[in-house]
Amino acid sequence: MSDFTSNFWNYYIVILTVLGLIFCIWLLVAVGKREGAKASDPSHVWDGDLTELNNQLPGWWRWLFWVVLIFSIGYLIYYPGLGAFKGIGGWTQIGQFNQEMNDLDAKTKPMYDSYLAMGVADLSKNQKAMGTAENIFLNNCARCHGSDARGTTGFPSLRSGAWSWGGEPAEIEQSITEGRTGVMTPMADAVGGPEGVKAVVAYMRSISNLDHDMAMIAQGEKLFADNCAACHGADGKGMKEIGAPNLTDSVWIHGGTPKAMEAVVVKGLNSDLKDGDFAMPAQKDVLSKGQIHLLTAYVWGMTHK
């Protein structure tokens, strides 16, 4: 089993468990053969009237103990419990989980099929459907986007109306289904080092109506046109086909301070779950088509009320 780093732990658990069962059997047998103290034994009499007798356990109790021991042995043979031994029954937690999920899917399929037949706009106004969608969101999306869907540094807000990959229902559904992986290459060398980085950031801040250094705008605009416009567009409004965000809307997922913006230009962003960056994971293997369609309506509806 993958949980064991070496065979030592496998044998350790097997030996410890078997010895524990053997000890319990020996104890039950040994106690059953022992004779109890007699009332005439003065070592078990106090104050002349109080007598302690070491009588045998009741028969029903001893037989119950035997039943428990036999059951334990049978359980460890049929189910996995002895280290890496999988048991003769073939039971696994994953197998049971998948079976329960399949049973649940079979029960809920008619409901989700009915939602699939509805358009996103109409579905977003269905309170019952949106209640279900909210539960799906909280269970699968809130850990990144927040329970209120307002995101945090590195994770976009779904209520801002800023969609790097497009905010139409089909585009949102594609993002949920297949996931998104955005890449921005490090640009420090391309723009001429620290001075160029500051100039580009000053220009980006100017087109998004943030405070900026006016003296660096001209230099930054040229550097932007030569190095950044290919992805973000000459006007800085981005290109949803490649996930390049709009730089004019004051929505900065990785932070809108000069320092944070300079860090992105210098280091770039490789959203592949490495080096502290993040990707949007595909949900097609986690959620059904009906659930994804419902979730699409829920997310779309956040900015279309």
Side-chain angles (χ1 to χ4, degrees), residues 30-47:
V31 169
K33 292 181 177 180
R34 188 173 61 184
E35 294 184 3
K38 299 179 180 179
S40 59
D41 186 348
S43 65
H44 291 267
V45 178
W46 290 269
D47 296 331

Side-chain angles (χ1 to χ4, degrees), residues 158-272:
L158 304 179
R159 296 182 180 274
S160 66
W163 301 95
S164 296
W165 300 92
E168 294 302 315
E171 294 165 334
I172 295 174
E173 189 159 334
Q174 177 72 7
S175 294
I176 297 172
T177 303
E178 300 295 338
R180 296 295 188 183
T181 302
V183 175
M184 173 174 166
T185 57
M187 300 299 294
D189 292 338
V191 299
E195 187 70 16
V197 170
K198 290 183 181 297
V200 169
V201 168
Y203 175 71
M204 289 192 297
R205 293 181 68 82
S206 72
I207 62 176
S208 60
N209 297 316
L210 296 173
D211 58 285
H212 54 276
D213 186 346
M214 288 293 298
M216 306 189 80
I217 295 300
Q219 179 189 359
E221 184 175 9
K222 184 178 186 308
L223 289 171
F224 184 90
D226 293 341
N227 299 279
C228 311
C231 292
H232 293 283
D235 56 1
K237 293 187 179 296
M239 299 175 68
K240 66 181 182 181
E241 293 79 9
I242 59 174
N246 183 354
L247 304 179
T248 68
D249 57 9
S250 299
V251 177
W252 299 93
I253 298 173
H254 299 280
T257 65
K259 184 177 180 180
M261 295 168 69
E262 288 171 11
V264 172
V265 175
V266 171
K267 299 178 181 179
L269 293 169
N270 190 0
S271 300
D272 59 0

